[in-house]
């Protein structure tokens, strides 16, 4: 599929991510969308005269060609929604970006990804929690994702680098700059053990409206989101709300009732929008990571005779690991009701165990 067409699709002003995905589901590729006639385009739900006219009378390929030169020069990976290496967790989110630009070496489909967010005006309390969290996660083989902003974001990246944990920064601008500029040294180190990810083309400046878009990637790409310290308003709470809308697990550290920079965390916990964790051990317990057997790789799976072929497929996927329900749905191809039925039967047979956080493992 032509990269020019992929980039061009994101340059159509009236075509957002949801509409683009509807078009891709119907036509199969970005190139086919641009080759469609008006009648074919108008058959798609949500496509009217304005959008159809913009697709038919576009002038985006010249801009896309210019951007492609920068992408190739700086060896930027382009991850399209239909590509196999597109982050599967994010792909499950209804408004996921159609196109991502990535520079780094961390696997965005890594088995364990945690997003860490918090206040830009982090206190020593928040920084200490961040240090303890990252240090505890070292033996679990995780990737840490955050937004490269001041405060908790920068602290989580820095602590990850010091503990040699891969860490990915999600940007609200193009890969031709770093904002804030003060974090450029951190960003350069992250390229060696982690990476930088964005949906925005080069020349895109960090406008205010870009940050909520950035936050949905932070929320969608991870298994769980940890709010370390947050005031009553700000990007961390936006990220938590988005994560809740994606049915993601959200965890928050509580603070004293008089601490303004913990007011957001306390609110999330009070309103059941986040589970309370008082120590990093709580996080790995809730995620079921402490329940994994040391080594089952050499053991032979023996299935009860009553299991169907589909249920055996689920067990094979869980042979050497734990897995969340979203990943199981993607890897099996089952719809939500089918998967729920198979998981319930496997639990009743005693061969599967459900852990906190919608995580499953073999019994």
């Amino acid at each position: 599929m032509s990269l020019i067409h992929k980039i061009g699709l994101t340059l159509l002003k009236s075509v957002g991510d949801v509409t683009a995905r509807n078009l891709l589901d119907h036509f199969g590729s970005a190139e086919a969308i641009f080759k469609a006639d008006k009648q074919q385009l108008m058959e798609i739900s949500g496509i009217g005269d304005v959008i159809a006219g913009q697709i038919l009378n576009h002038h985006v390929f010249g801009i896309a060609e210019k951007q492609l030169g920068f992408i190739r020069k700086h060896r930027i990976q382009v991850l399209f929604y239909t590509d196999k290496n597109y982050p599967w967790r994010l792909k499950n989110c209804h408004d996921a970006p159609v196109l991502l630009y990535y520079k780094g070496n961390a696997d965005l489909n890594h088995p364990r990804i945690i997003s860490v967010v918090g206040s830009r005006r982090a206190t020593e309390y928040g920084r200490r929690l961040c240090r303890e969290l990252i240090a505890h996660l070292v033996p679990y083989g995780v990737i840490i994702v955050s937004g490269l902003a001041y405060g908790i974001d920068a602290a989580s990246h820095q602590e990850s680098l010091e503990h040699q944990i891969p860490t990915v920064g999600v940007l609200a601008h193009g890969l031709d700059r770093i904002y804030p500029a003060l974090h450029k040294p951190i960003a350069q180190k992250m390229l060696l053990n982690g990476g930088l990810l964005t949906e925005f083309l080069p020349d895109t400046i960090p406008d205010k409206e870009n940050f909520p878009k950035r936050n949905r990637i932070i929320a969608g790409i991870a298994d769980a989101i940890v709010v370390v310290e947050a005031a009553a308003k700000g990007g961390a709470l936006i990220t938590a709300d988005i994560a809740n809308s994606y049915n993601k697990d959200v965890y928050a550290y509580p603070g004293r009732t008089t601490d303004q920079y913990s007011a957001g965390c306390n609110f999330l916990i009070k309103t059941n929008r986040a589970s309370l964790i008082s120590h990093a051990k709580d996080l790995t317990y809730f995620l079921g990571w402490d329940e994994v057997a040391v080594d089952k790789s050499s053991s032979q799976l023996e299935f009860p005779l009553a299991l169907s072929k589909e249920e055996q497929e689920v067990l094979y996927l869980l042979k050497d690991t734990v897995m969340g329900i979203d990943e199981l749905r993607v890897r099996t191809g089952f719809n939500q009701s089918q998967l729920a039925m198979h998981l319930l039967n496997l639990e009743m047979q005693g061969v599967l165990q459900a852990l906190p956080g919608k995580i499953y493992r073999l019994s």
Side-chain angles (χ1 to χ4, degrees):
M1 191 190 303
S2 167
L3 193 51
I4 292 293
H5 291 86
K6 293 177 180 178
I7 297 173
L9 182 61
T10 67
L11 293 172
L12 297 170
K13 294 182 179 180
S14 298
V15 178
D17 293 310
V18 175
T19 300
R21 287 174 62 163
N22 289 338
L23 288 165
L24 286 168
D25 289 342
H26 182 85
F27 291 105
S29 71
E31 191 169 355
I33 293 170
F34 283 104
K35 290 182 177 179
D37 59 34
K38 186 172 184 179
Q39 182 178 351
Q40 291 172 318
L41 291 169
M42 296 283 282
E43 291 174 357
I44 311 301
S45 177
I47 304 297
D49 285 328
V50 173
I51 296 178
Q54 190 174 121
I55 295 172
L56 294 169
N57 303 300
H58 69 86
H59 298 90
V60 297
F61 289 162
I63 301 172
E65 185 71 47
K66 178 183 176 182
Q67 299 291 354
L68 189 55
F70 179 91
I71 290 165
R72 287 172 174 166
K73 179 181 178 181
H74 295 277
R75 299 180 181 179
I76 295 170
Q77 300 178 50
V78 180
L79 308 175
F80 195 62
Y81 173 70
T82 56
D83 295 342
K84 291 182 179 180
N85 58 347
Y86 187 96
W88 67 263
R89 295 172 180 86
L90 188 59
K91 193 171 185 176
N92 279 334
C93 304
H94 72 280
D95 58 349
V98 172
L99 201 61
L100 294 168
Y101 302 95
Y102 179 54
K103 192 169 178 63
N105 54 23
D107 180 7
L108 301 180
N109 284 305
H110 188 74
R112 293 176 174 175
I113 299 179
I114 296 294
S115 287
V116 180
V117 297
S119 174
R120 296 192 178 199
R121 298 181 178 180
T123 67
E124 180 52 37
Y125 169 73
R127 294 181 187 279
R128 177 175 60 80
L129 291 176
C130 202
R131 286 194 297 270
E132 293 175 356
L133 173 66
I134 301 302
H136 177 74
L137 291 174
V138 171
Y140 292 88
V142 303
I143 289 177
I144 300 297
V145 173
S146 196
L148 202 62
Y150 290 115
I152 295 300
D153 284 19
S156 66
H157 292 309
Q158 189 65 56
E159 292 296 328
S160 297
L161 291 170
E162 291 183 7
H163 287 89
Q164 298 183 341
I165 294 178
T167 181
V168 175
V170 185
L171 310 178
H173 49 78
L175 286 171
D176 58 334
R177 69 194 70 209
I178 294 297
Y179 176 83
L182 183 65
H183 293 164
K184 189 172 182 179
I186 299 176
Q188 290 173 336
K189 292 178 182 178
M190 290 168 64
L191 292 175
L192 301 177
N193 190 21
L196 302 174
L197 179 69
T198 184
E199 67 179 297
F200 299 105
L201 282 162
D203 298 328
T204 304
I205 62 174
D207 284 330
K208 184 178 180 180
E209 62 268 19
N210 293 350
F211 288 91
K213 293 181 179 180
R214 183 274 306 270
N215 292 344
R216 85 189 192 287
I217 298 177
I218 295 174
I221 203 169
D223 298 299
I225 293 81
V226 179
V227 187
V228 174
E229 186 177 41
K233 295 182 180 180
L237 263 65
I238 294 173
T239 304
D241 282 343
I242 295 171
N244 276 301
S245 75
Y246 292 160
N247 202 27
K248 297 277 185 177
D249 292 321
V250 180
Y251 302 93
Y253 285 97
R256 291 179 298 184
T257 57
T258 55
D259 288 345
Q260 61 174 321
Y261 295 119
S262 291
C265 290
N266 293 341
F267 173 78
L268 290 172
I269 296 166
K270 182 173 68 175
T271 56
N272 296 317
R273 301 181 191 187
S275 299
L276 185 153
I277 55 173
S278 57
H279 191 281
K281 291 180 181 178
D282 296 336
L283 174 67
T284 50
Y285 167 75
F286 281 131
L287 293 175
W289 292 356
D290 292 321
E291 301 291 331
V292 186
V294 175
D295 185 12
K296 292 184 180 180
S297 59
S298 60
S299 62
Q300 182 71 28
L301 283 179
E302 296 182 2
F303 299 134
L305 294 176
L307 295 190
S308 67
K309 180 180 177 181
E310 291 79 10
E311 289 162 349
Q312 291 181 28
E313 182 181 349
V314 172
L315 293 189
Y316 270 120
L317 287 172
L318 294 169
K319 180 180 178 183
D320 301 315
T321 187
V322 296
M323 198 172 292
I325 192 168
D326 287 338
E327 185 174 3
L328 281 170
R329 187 165 62 244
V330 170
R331 295 199 177 189
T332 60
F334 303 149
N335 63 41
Q336 189 169 355
S337 59
Q338 288 175 324
L339 181 59
M341 179 184 65
H342 295 320
L343 292 173
L344 179 61
N345 186 48
L346 290 169
E347 283 190 74
M348 293 177 66
Q349 295 270 8
V351 295
L352 193 69
Q353 181 181 1
L355 302 172
K358 302 173 187 174
I359 307 292
Y360 292 85
R361 56 157 288 185
L362 298 184
S363 297

